[in-house]
Amino acid sequence: MDIRRRGRALAPESFPDPVRRRLGNLDRLREVWTERRRYGDRSEDPAVNRRSARRRVEALRHLAGVDASDAGGGAAEEDAFLAIAEDCRSGVRLTPEYFEELVHGAPDFSPPLPAPSGVGELLAEAAAVETHPVIRAAHLFATCTEALESGSAQAAGHDPATGGPPPHLRPLPWWLAGLSLLRSDLPPPAIDLNCPPPPPGRASTGIPDAPAAEFPRREAAPETPVPAPRAGEDRLTPLVLLLADLETAALRSELTRLAHVQVGARGDSGRLAAAVHRRIVEHLRLRCAPLHQVLRELDPG
């Protein structure tokens, strides 16, 4: 199946109504966040700084049941997340070679899962699908998870019972989902500490109608556990819903932060607009005395 056909198969219209409603709500929240962010200081993005990376690594280790005291491993995972974010800023092309290098260079939990040959081409194709950003991120997450499962099944002597966390709780699928969303000008998804992994051999198949709890609230666990991608036409539905909820939580957290930021006319065209405004006012004051009096009556400032 080529990329265009895959994109049509993964179009939002092909998903159930609850998915489309959730994505529509997310798009409206994204518009508010984009507009609000134009007037803030964007010299450093708190969604992808070192503190954010550390919080995500700790949350993922908690979900996977990995010892959080492994400081060296945590630092390597933080560096990998920040490197991916920097690649997004610099506009690195998502080629098969890029994904091959990323898969074989990104840190993994112990023991690491081997990836099958040709995984870079699979991931590059998944990252190029034309659909909603959250659906594309879920598709990339699922493709990576299935590749890791295939690689571990093909590896000689690999014992699933003692092979560490399952593929969908490894760092790489989550970092790739974040990569896809960052490339679409969205923050990486939140990772909820209270989201339990699914029971062995089972996956969530329900479609929740209640919104997820706002990040970083931790009073109650969300209704949808982290789903392992399933075979079949609807394998992405639970994952799309989960990523939509986690992305909504990330956007709400960003909006809460921006609400306490001092704002001003500092958008992309703020300096040009301010200069044009000064010149217009100067022209009116020097050459349009009658109009200047009218304007003074309308606005003394």
Side-chain angles (χ1 to χ4, degrees):
M1 181 181 293
D2 60 29
I3 293 176
R4 291 188 179 275
R5 290 179 58 194
R6 180 69 61 84
R8 288 194 293 269
L10 295 177
E13 294 76 16
S14 64
F15 284 80
D17 288 341
V19 175
R20 295 198 297 272
R21 288 197 299 269
R22 198 73 58 82
L23 294 179
N25 293 337
L26 177 63
D27 289 339
R28 287 188 287 273
L29 188 62
R30 177 191 182 185
E31 291 176 3
V32 175
W33 175 67
T34 301
E35 181 66 22
R36 184 67 178 81
R37 193 171 55 151
R38 289 181 59 227
Y39 300 100
D41 185 3
R42 299 178 63 180
S43 59
E44 181 185 22
D45 188 355
V48 290
N49 61 13
R50 174 70 63 175
R51 181 180 179 183
S52 169
R54 182 173 298 110
R55 186 173 67 248
R56 295 174 191 282
V57 168
E58 292 174 351
L60 186 56
R61 282 175 167 261
H62 175 85
L63 286 178
V66 176
D67 187 5
S69 63
D70 183 8
E77 292 153 25
E78 293 172 20
D79 292 339
F81 174 78
L82 293 174
I84 287 175
E86 184 59 34
D87 289 342
C88 293
R89 294 191 190 98
S90 59
V92 173
R93 293 186 60 191
L94 302 183
T95 62
E97 293 76 18
Y98 171 81
F99 281 110
E100 285 282 355
E101 183 178 354
L102 183 61
V103 168
H104 294 97
D108 192 8
F109 296 150
S110 181
L113 291 180
S117 60
V119 65
E121 185 174 352
L122 288 174
L123 295 177
E125 180 182 348
V129 169
E130 297 180 2
T131 183
H132 191 280
V134 173
I135 297 177
R136 182 167 52 249
H139 179 52
L140 186 57
F141 184 106
T143 301
C144 179
T145 301
E146 292 165 357
L148 293 177
E149 288 177 345
S150 174
S152 63
Q154 296 173 8
H158 178 75
D159 185 2
T162 60
H168 67 285
L169 294 181
R170 301 277 178 158
L172 185 60
W174 289 95
W175 291 174
L176 291 182
L179 166 70
S180 181
L181 291 166
L182 284 169
R183 298 278 294 204
S184 300
D185 198 27
L186 281 163
I191 300 178
D192 197 322
L193 290 173
N194 289 316
C195 193
R202 297 179 58 189
S204 172
T205 59
I207 300 177
D209 290 324
E214 295 182 14
F215 186 84
R217 290 175 57 190
R218 300 175 186 175
E219 290 83 356
E223 297 180 6
T224 308
V226 177
R230 298 176 294 123
E233 295 179 356
D234 65 338
R235 88 192 203 287
L236 284 183
T237 295
L239 187 55
V240 170
L241 285 168
L242 177 63
L243 283 181
D245 283 349
L246 295 179
E247 190 63 24
T248 297
L251 284 172
R252 287 175 175 170
S253 178
E254 281 291 290
L255 285 171
T256 299
R257 180 188 63 81
L258 289 173
H260 299 89
V261 174
Q262 295 293 330
V263 299
R266 299 197 302 176
D268 296 338
S269 60
R271 294 183 179 179
L272 177 60
V276 172
H277 177 265
R278 287 195 302 269
R279 293 294 298 162
I280 291 175
V281 171
E282 194 175 297
H283 176 82
L284 291 174
R285 286 176 176 171
L286 292 176
R287 298 177 174 84
C288 303
L291 182 57
H292 185 209
Q293 293 177 1
V294 174
L295 293 176
R296 184 184 297 275
E297 290 295 326
L298 293 176
D299 184 4

